[in-house]
Amino acid sequence: DADVTQTPRNRITKTGKRIMLECSQTKGHDRMYWYRQDPGLGLRLIYYSFDVKDINKGEISDGYSVSRQAQAKFSLSLESAIPNQTALYFCATSDPGDGANKNIQYFGAGTRLSVL
Amino acid sequence: RKEVEQDPGPFNVPEGATVAFNCTYSNSASQSFFWYRQDCRKEPKLLMSVYSSGNEDGRFTAQLNRASQYISLLIRDSKLSDSATYLCVVNSGAGSYQLTFGKGTKLSVIP
């Protein structure tokens, strides 16, 4: 089983619909992240959380919200989906680590979202 | 200036060739440096961390030049299975746990 699991893997939805992408992890990490990836733009951070009571906006949080239900679960919501939110979404986790291995992030397999 | 810039690619090389990727970063306070590999439509996976003194893992060698804010990745004896996009990744500043990703360089190893 994967250490970082994202569901669903693929989702097609319509403009204006509310959808939730879920992420769970078995790595025991406190830190969790949501990214989106678009062709030619690379990975961009949407939200991140360093523990259950800590939520922080990333580079592109507008139009998104998150919930950290437990140490192992971090979900991303699109309250009213729009076509330019069509992208590949990744969840990641990390722990502090030490030395050069500090800050390594581990990714889920991704959710491919299409908003029509 | 973009925070992490990489060679645009794509690099098309024959099997057995040596290929080098370069990356520059803008935040002089960055302390953690990585190369990630991403296969088409898959998640990024850590290839190797980059240490100040440079480090090697089999056919892969990473170098860091803090003065020039420059990172490199050298792949020797390229294999077909090395075909992927390579992402240069840097933490976003002193003490930061956020990572900034380059857009990636695509490598295709040709038989």
Side-chain angles (χ1 to χ4, degrees), chain B residues 9-96:
Chain B
F11 285 66
N12 299 311
V13 302
E15 275 186 288
T18 295
V19 61
F21 302 142
N22 304 314
C23 167
T24 56
Y25 61 95
S26 61
N27 191 334
S28 59
S30 294
Q31 298 169 315
S32 301
F33 309 92
F34 310 100
W35 285 101
Y36 275 70
R37 170 194 168 126
Q38 185 174 24
D39 293 291
C40 187
R41 302 168 74 92
K42 298 288 183 67
E43 73 272 27
K45 293 184 178 179
L46 179 70
L47 177 67
M48 58 196 303
S49 300
V50 185
Y51 305 143
S52 295
S53 55
N55 49 298
E56 185 174 308
D57 182 3
R59 298 181 292 108
F60 300 85
T61 301
Q63 296 281 348
L64 170 63
N65 184 321
R66 285 186 184 271
S68 300
Q69 295 178 206
Y70 173 96
I71 307 164
S72 65
L73 176 68
L74 182 76
I75 305 175
R76 292 181 300 278
D77 188 23
S78 298
K79 311 292 185 189
L80 295 176
S81 57
D82 294 333
S83 297
T85 297
Y86 291 83
L87 308 177
C88 177
V89 184
V90 176
N91 84 308
S92 302
S96 174

Side-chain angles (χ1 to χ4, degrees), chain A residues 25 27-33 48-54 68 70-72 74 92-96:
Chain A
Q25 52 115 346
K27 298 186 77 68
H29 291 168
D30 286 329
R31 299 181 178 128
M32 298 187 74
Y33 310 81
Y48 62 102
S49 169
F50 286 171
D51 65 39
V52 174
K53 297 180 181 179
D54 177 79
R68 185 80 184 266
Q71 186 209 35
F74 191 37
T93 73
S94 72
D95 69 10

